[in-house]
Amino acid sequence: MARVNDNYLKLAAGYLFPEISRRMDVFTSANPDADVIKLGIGDVVLPLGDAVRTAMHDAIDEMATADGFRGYGPSEGYDFLREAIAENDFGSRGVKIDPSEIYASDGSKCDSANIQEIFADDCSLAVSDPVYPVYVDTNVMAGRTGQPDEGGRYAGITYLPCTEESGFMPALPEEPVDLVYLCSPNNPTGTVAPKEELAKWVEWARANEAIILFDAAYERFITEDHLPHSIYEIDGARECAIEFRSFSKTAGFTGIRCAYIVIPEELKGRDSNREQVPVSTLWSRRTNTKFNGISYPVQRGAEAIYSAEGAKEVQANIDYYMANATLIKEGLSKAGFTTFGGVNAPYVWLKTPDGQDSWQFFDNLLSQANVVGTPGSGFGACGEGYFRLSAFGIREKVEEAIERIAKGF
Ligand code: MLT
């Protein structure tokens, strides 16, 4: 009988979001008439914009002609998309990224999960706590950790607590680490690292030859002008950081799938002889071996969000979701909850009332108010006693959810 990868057996429980769905299904089976409002997983609800729809239709029509048909595309993405990204997502903010440094993919979840493969098995890593579970679980699967302790923290990972006192910002690691995952705007706390904070990380990474894996999947939700959208807005970041971006939440692509990763030419790691190796060559090799790229119609759809019409449509979606975030934040604050985030991110992070733990609050909220959110403890030990509500909902449902919560339950 084939031996399985024992590392998978270290994973404490099911992945967070399927566990939430499981509990929700149990509840709705027992209460089929309950009108459950879902503000749990950050999944978009607004339909595709016209610019994206038209571009994708046109691409399909093109593929149905002898001249326009395309088979395998470049694994890293078509030039038209990589050029549009470089110009619009970076050039427009004064950041120089070459299209060749951009690798299109089928999602930031996959990218942030897969990136660890190109680093050595004995690389040490640090994560914020609370944290997007994918960063941790994929390193567990790869065997970079020991067993979890009772609080779910794995031996071999450096956890950087993000608490109310620290403004939910992680402190620099006290021990040497090779890789550090940072996420800003942060999932789940909704806070954003200002420039000085990122500059501190870049300086530390360069001094310690560490690499920052910077998840900026939510950067389009930043509303305050002074905040950085990219780690490359910080001098020196090209030598020490990889950035992840996504079309999922901005263009409504959670089902369509398109994202990208940026690996600057200057970014180097070391091989076992301590020789420097460009990280991009390994990622490129991996991509070409394991991936045949995003479909042509999807890449044309992604390109369309940079057209004048597409940009307007994306902005309208973002404004809609951020108006939801404001409603949630203000409604909960009025109802006496302590809230964080929700200003530059589509997530509101709240303190559970009356000392309830995160899952107790989840169960009470579901059974009594019929509202689904995400328990903070699902993101790590420091998330215990907190809860995340997503702003990705239909306005009327969000209003109704907040009304139910405010009434008390
Ligand atoms: C979340 O709710 O945290 C996100 O939707 C998860 C994801 O993007 O994979």
Side-chain angles (χ1 to χ4, degrees):
M1 200 177 274
R3 269 203 63 198
V4 297
N5 179 349
D6 281 340
N7 295 315
Y8 278 62
L9 307 179
K10 295 176 194 161
L11 292 167
Y15 187 60
L16 174 62
F17 294 106
E19 173 58 17
I20 289 174
S21 301
R22 191 192 65 75
R23 291 194 189 210
M24 202 177 75
D25 290 346
V26 169
F27 177 77
T28 47
S29 308
N31 302 276
D33 297 331
D35 171 22
V36 175
I37 301 177
K38 297 184 216 163
L39 301 177
I41 189 164
D43 195 2
V44 289
V45 293
L46 295 174
L48 289 180
D50 250 12
V52 167
R53 184 178 62 83
T54 309
M56 288 180 74
H57 275 186
D58 289 350
I60 293 277
D61 289 344
E62 193 186 334
M63 297 263 292
T65 64
D67 286 348
F69 177 74
R70 290 164 193 250
Y72 294 125
S75 303
E76 297 91 348
Y78 284 102
D79 285 346
F80 64 77
L81 179 59
R82 299 167 91 192
E83 282 161 12
I85 290 168
E87 183 185 331
N88 293 283
D89 285 355
F90 296 99
S92 66
R93 295 190 63 81
V95 175
K96 181 136 187 36
I97 295 292
D98 192 84
S100 65
E101 297 172 319
I102 293 165
Y103 301 79
S105 76
D106 59 344
S108 281
K109 181 184 197 169
C110 321
D111 285 339
S112 61
N114 293 332
I115 194 69
Q116 47 78 29
E117 276 185 29
I118 62 167
F119 295 102
D121 290 350
D122 59 358
C123 268
S124 53
L125 64 132
V127 296
S128 309
D129 179 4
V131 64
Y132 181 43
V134 171
Y135 315 151
V136 171
D137 288 5
T138 51
N139 279 286
V140 174
M141 291 167 175
R144 280 193 196 88
T145 74
Q147 296 290 341
D149 65 15
E150 276 172 15
R153 284 183 162 186
Y154 292 90
I157 294 184
T158 299
Y159 289 88
L160 308 170
C162 296
T163 60
E164 197 177 332
E165 295 70 42
S166 67
F168 298 104
M169 290 294 148
L172 297 174
E174 284 169 9
E175 62 241 31
V177 293
D178 300 307
L179 302 171
V180 59
Y181 291 82
L182 295 179
C183 177
S184 179
N186 188 262
N187 179 13
T189 66
T191 46
V192 184
K195 270 203 173 130
E196 318 77 76
E197 195 67 29
L198 290 186
K200 202 174 80 184
W201 278 99
V202 167
E203 192 188 334
W204 166 86
R206 293 180 71 195
N208 291 278
E209 291 204 343
I211 291 182
I212 298 170
L213 303 170
F214 189 73
D215 187 345
Y218 297 96
E219 59 79 32
R220 282 299 304 271
F221 294 87
I222 293 175
T223 58
E224 293 176 307
D225 288 345
H226 64 283
L227 293 168
H229 287 237
S230 167
I231 195 155
Y232 304 119
E233 291 177 41
I234 310 300
D235 284 344
R238 289 180 58 87
E239 280 118 70
C240 65
I242 290 174
E243 184 161 304
F244 306 94
R245 293 277 190 103
S246 173
F247 295 95
S248 283
K249 315 286 159 97
T250 52
F253 272 34
T254 51
I256 287 181
R257 313 302 305 153
C258 193
Y260 65 90
I261 181 170
V262 180
I263 307 186
E265 196 187 306
E266 293 91 325
L267 185 73
K268 306 273 181 1
R270 285 194 192 276
D271 66 14
S272 48
N273 298 318
R274 305 224 23 96
E275 296 295 329
Q276 293 199 3
V277 181
V279 172
S280 58
T281 55
L282 276 76
W283 185 252
S284 181
R285 185 68 174 82
R286 183 202 175 276
T287 303
N288 280 287
T289 301
K290 296 196 170 186
F291 192 49
N292 274 324
I294 309 299
S295 75
Y296 176 68
V298 166
Q299 292 192 56
R300 281 292 183 203
E303 179 197 27
I305 75 162
Y306 299 113
S307 66
E309 187 196 353
K312 233 193 271 160
E313 288 168 358
V314 163
Q315 194 54 51
N317 282 8
I318 289 170
D319 291 346
Y320 181 96
Y321 292 130
M322 288 313 289
N324 284 349
T326 305
L327 275 174
I328 296 172
K329 194 172 171 72
E330 289 180 354
L332 291 179
S333 302
K334 252 193 227 143
F337 286 83
T338 307
T339 65
F340 307 91
V343 176
N344 294 294
Y347 296 124
V348 175
W349 187 241
L350 59 110
K351 244 180 160 156
T352 56
D354 313 320
Q356 294 178 60
D357 74 33
S358 301
W359 277 110
Q360 268 168 354
F361 185 71
F362 173 92
D363 289 332
N364 288 336
L365 191 66
L366 174 59
S367 61
Q368 294 168 41
N370 302 164
V371 173
V372 175
T374 307
S377 57
F379 297 101
C382 290
E384 183 56 275
Y386 290 88
F387 200 76
R388 192 192 78 177
L389 286 176
S390 153
F392 295 113
I394 295 295
R395 176 69 40 78
E396 294 69 30
K397 294 281 179 193
V398 170
E399 285 168 344
E400 166 78 25
I402 298 308
E403 219 168 277
R404 289 186 202 167
I405 296 173
K407 257 197 231 139
F409 54 88

